[in-house]
Amino acid sequence: MSRIAVLPNAEALHEEAATRLRESALTAVRERGRFAVALSGGSSPKGVYEALGKLEGVPWEGVHLFWGDERCVPPDHPDSNFGMAWAALSLDLPHEQVHRMRGELGPEAGAAHYASELEVFFDGPVVFDLVHLGLGPDGHVASLFPGQPTLEATEPVVSSFPNEGLSPQVARISLSLPTIGAARAVQFLVTGEAKASVAARALEGDPRLPASRVAGERVSWLLDEAAARGLSL
Ligand code: 6PG
């Protein structure tokens, strides 16, 4: 059963998510010497990364930043998930701690490059300490879209293309469901009334939604009150 927390508004959710990430990082660095987190793309997490960049007490010396998915655009492109998070964090982290997906390489080459980056870093099973996920209007997570064969992929990183109607209509690189599912913790960040119905369906386990396949003890949902409107809590 996934755990759910409802925050009064998006700003409160941003602060809560940033604080929770700091606590997870402190524990991971204390216990394992490093903290590997996969950041989310989309617009919802931007406020979280802005809050995180300003937060005191984050053990940045042990933090390794990864991404859950990326659009196949250069890192300085307005649609880049790396670009969004990096600008929001506005940190000065050594480049060896910043593991961005190379969207500019294209879907297949970018996915292969990231798979080897994960292999080198984890040197064994790919187990993130934390994976942040947004929730697409169609229930997609990272760049894993409803009805697509990538949902059944077993390799750690896949390439995909969004279903019609989703923007941006560019190829993607994404962690696979098994990689997301293997993480020590997964956290959904969901804000706004527009997500209320799909969030409720995902939490009820609607099998048509990729988000429904990310569930269990290690999964938590942070929603603001607007996004939680559809939940029968
Ligand atoms: C992406 C994201 C995607 C995102 C959802 C929600 O690259 O688009 O990783 O999975 O999290 O589409 O996006 P919003 O937060 O913008 O609604």
Side-chain angles (χ1 to χ4, degrees):
M1 177 65 188
S2 304
R3 285 158 298 130
I4 303 169
V6 178
L7 289 305
N9 51 49
E11 294 64 40
L13 183 144
H14 298 157
E15 297 298 330
E16 177 69 18
T19 307
R20 289 187 182 207
L21 187 149
R22 177 184 60 192
E23 300 320 308
S24 307
L26 287 165
T27 305
V29 171
R30 191 177 56 247
E31 293 175 2
R32 292 180 291 278
R34 68 185 188 182
F35 175 69
V37 56
L39 303 181
S40 175
S43 56
S44 304
K46 184 167 177 283
V48 175
Y49 302 144
E50 284 164 349
L52 183 61
K54 300 189 188 89
L55 198 59
E56 300 288 326
V58 180
W60 288 114
E61 71 286 356
V63 174
H64 285 262
L65 299 179
F66 292 82
W67 274 258
D69 71 324
E70 185 57 281
R71 292 91 177 259
C72 291
V73 294
D76 56 357
H77 187 283
D79 287 337
S80 164
N81 286 339
F82 162 79
M84 176 278 287
W86 194 240
L89 286 164
S90 71
L91 288 172
D92 190 8
L93 269 188
H95 71 87
E96 56 271 14
Q97 290 174 240
V98 181
H99 311 266
R100 72 175 181 85
M101 290 180 168
R102 311 275 169 179
E104 67 274 22
L105 296 177
E108 283 77 30
H113 177 276
Y114 213 59
S116 54
E117 175 116 11
L118 296 181
E119 206 177 318
V120 170
F121 180 82
F122 287 103
D123 189 19
V126 175
V127 180
F128 284 100
D129 294 293
L130 177 62
V131 173
H132 273 170
L133 293 176
L135 177 65
D138 58 349
H140 77 258
V141 289
S143 281
L144 303 169
F145 302 103
Q148 297 197 357
T150 44
L151 291 170
E152 311 314 326
T154 54
E155 61 269 31
V157 186
V158 295
S159 58
S160 66
F161 197 92
N163 294 330
E164 231 176 286
L166 273 177
S167 71
Q169 282 284 307
V170 291
R172 311 293 184 89
I173 303 164
S174 183
L175 298 181
S176 63
L177 277 177
T179 302
I180 294 170
R184 290 190 176 88
V186 177
Q187 195 162 76
F188 280 92
L189 307 167
V190 188
T191 58
E193 185 135 17
K195 298 289 175 66
S197 131
V198 67
R201 287 172 55 206
L203 280 161
E204 283 150 16
D206 181 335
R208 292 162 295 179
L209 308 182
S212 302
R213 297 175 64 170
V214 183
E217 281 301 311
R218 290 175 285 154
V219 177
S220 60
W221 287 67
L222 296 190
L223 308 108
D224 67 2
E225 275 176 16
R229 279 238 165 91
L231 306 185
S232 50
L233 292 172

